[in-house]
Amino acid sequence: MNTQLMCVSCNTTLVNSKGGAVFPCPQCGKHQILRCKNCREIAAKYTCPECSFTGPN
Ligand SMILES: [Zn+2]
Ligand SMILES: [Zn+2]
């Protein structure tokens, strides 16, 4: 299985994790949330595919 690392906010493929963030969903902990550097900087919203939790707050 080839797991593609995709930013959950803009769907950009993260070639490497430089500047990006990967963390488990704060609510359900089941899904890895990936955010690219750009989306972190603009504080783009993300939604957990598992439980529909929205962040970053
Ligand atoms: Zn992004
Ligand atoms: Zn979740």
Side-chain angles (χ1 to χ4, degrees):
M1 282 286 277
N2 185 23
T3 306
Q4 272 218 320
L5 302 179
M6 304 252 295
C7 172
V8 294
S9 295
C10 68
N11 289 329
T12 295
T13 302
L14 300 179
V15 178
N16 56 50
S17 58
K18 211 172 198 178
V22 183
F23 53 94
C25 170
Q27 183 166 278
C28 69
K30 290 177 181 174
H31 205 93
Q32 291 284 314
I33 307 293
L34 276 87
R35 301 182 79 210
C36 69
K37 184 174 185 285
N38 182 53
C39 286
R40 285 180 63 205
E41 286 177 348
I42 66 174
K45 279 194 167 67
Y46 61 84
T47 304
C48 173
E50 189 77 29
C51 67
S52 298
F53 173 84
T54 56
N57 296 312

